[in-house]
Amino acid sequence: MKITHILEGRPFQTEFGIIGYSSVVLVQTKEKTILYDCGSRGCSVQLKESLKKQGLTSSDITHVVISHLHFDHVGNLPLFKNAKVLMSFTEWENAISHPDE
């Protein structure tokens, strides 16, 4: 198994408090190529470049594991059309029961 940190998260201060962008981690096994979170749409170019440095494209990703449903963790999901998306049932239930959040 190979684990690579391919996109570094960044916090920053706003008038509403500290927010940030998530990190993205690539996990490669013989059978699977997994992303842990996939970053925000604003970092899609950097994410594609980071995958390219690993010899990969978005179609090579078999699974995307989502830690939680904040914009900076799921914004690039549309890039990974071939991947299975995994998240906790509790996170999914919370998201659909509170759609305004």
Side-chain angles (χ1 to χ4, degrees), residues 2-76:
K2 180 180 174 186
I3 300 173
T4 309
H5 188 221
I6 63 168
L7 202 60
E8 185 177 341
R10 303 251 184 218
F12 56 91
Q13 182 71 39
T14 72
E15 63 187 88
F16 304 106
I18 296 175
I19 61 173
Y21 292 96
S22 77
S23 293
V24 178
V25 175
L26 175 69
V27 178
Q28 295 171 283
T29 70
K30 289 180 183 179
E31 300 86 21
K32 298 175 184 148
T33 305
I34 306 162
L35 283 185
Y36 185 80
D37 288 328
C38 61
S40 69
R41 284 198 184 264
C43 66
S44 63
V45 171
Q46 295 92 331
L47 180 57
K48 289 182 211 175
E49 288 174 358
S50 294
L51 288 171
K52 187 176 180 179
K53 287 179 184 176
Q54 299 298 317
L56 300 168
T57 68
S58 59
S59 62
D60 295 315
I61 303 302
T62 61
H63 296 77
V64 178
V65 177
I66 299 299
S67 62
H68 60 283
L69 292 169
H70 286 172
F71 77 96
D72 60 323
H73 295 257
V74 299
N76 287 311

